Amino acid sequence: MKAKGYVHKYGDNIDTDVIIPARYLNTANHKELASHCMEDIDKDFVNKVQKGDIIVGGDNFGCGSSREHAPIAIKESGISCVIASSFARIFYRNSINIGLAILECEEASKKIEDKDEIEVDFDGGIIKNITKNETYKSEPFPEFIKNIINSNGLLNSIKSKS
């Protein structure tokens, strides 16, 4: 499993209300949610994000409410992976459950800058910053998480085993 794209960089404590503002939670339509992703912190995000791009955040990414709408909006916007120093626990689990790849890597979080081009090898836990010619190491995904992400979410993973 690999991802390659350009970085959209954010700081510490990016909460779910910033990822998808509560005023848009009256829909379950994934495309509608994605059209408002990050708009309260980065009004131009939806216009500049490209399929495969990567979000890099700081500490406690995804804090706040436990809604699944936040990782759904990120994934549906075209983001292939989120890298942060740390994630709020429920955001981490919700992300895996919907098939959004997320990695914790403090070094990458600190050194990667907005608009850097990076490549992520999930099997080895290797993050390559193509722009800066640097490499960072995170924990690779265990097999069961790779299966969930490759299946596009936990429910699809369970269905494929039955």
Side-chain angles (χ1 to χ4, degrees):
M1 287 177 50
K2 290 193 179 196
K4 184 177 180 181
Y6 290 93
V7 170
H8 302 269
K9 177 95 182 243
Y10 302 100
D12 294 338
N13 301 308
I14 300 300
D15 68 49
T16 54
D17 286 327
V18 169
I19 296 168
I20 183 65
R23 62 189 175 273
Y24 301 114
L25 298 180
N26 57 353
T27 183
N29 182 298
H30 293 187
K31 291 206 181 299
E32 178 67 18
L33 291 170
S35 73
H36 300 289
C37 188
M38 309 303 275
E39 79 178 25
D40 283 357
I41 193 171
D42 184 355
K43 293 228 180 278
D44 204 33
F45 174 80
V46 296
N47 297 318
K48 61 186 177 184
V49 68
Q50 299 293 312
K51 187 170 178 58
D53 281 355
I54 297 165
I55 287 178
V56 175
D59 289 321
N60 202 27
F61 190 92
C63 58
S65 71
S66 60
R67 64 179 79 121
E68 286 184 333
H69 299 75
I72 288 169
I74 290 172
K75 184 178 176 188
E76 190 65 30
S77 74
I79 293 293
S80 62
C81 176
V82 179
I83 300 168
S85 293
S86 65
F87 291 93
R89 285 179 183 236
I90 194 109
F91 179 87
Y92 184 92
R93 192 61 224 184
N94 283 341
S95 295
I96 298 300
N97 284 348
I98 62 116
L100 174 64
I102 58 175
L103 291 174
E104 289 186 343
C105 183
E106 186 171 354
E107 182 181 22
S109 172
K110 289 186 184 330
K111 291 184 175 179
I112 293 172
E113 296 179 38
D114 194 48
K115 299 183 181 127
D116 282 356
E117 183 179 20
I118 64 173
E119 182 177 75
V120 181
D121 175 358
F122 299 109
D123 295 330
I126 304 295
I127 302 163
K128 291 182 184 174
N129 187 325
I130 297 165
T131 303
K132 293 182 175 180
N133 196 28
E134 294 178 345
T135 302
Y136 323 106
K137 180 81 170 113
S138 71
E139 287 296 317
F141 287 139
E143 285 302 316
F144 79 97
I145 289 181
K146 281 196 281 189
N147 182 48
I148 292 169
I149 292 170
N150 285 333
S151 299
N152 200 28
L154 180 62
L155 293 178
N156 291 331
S157 171
I158 293 167
K159 287 177 191 173
S160 71
K161 291 181 180 180
S162 24

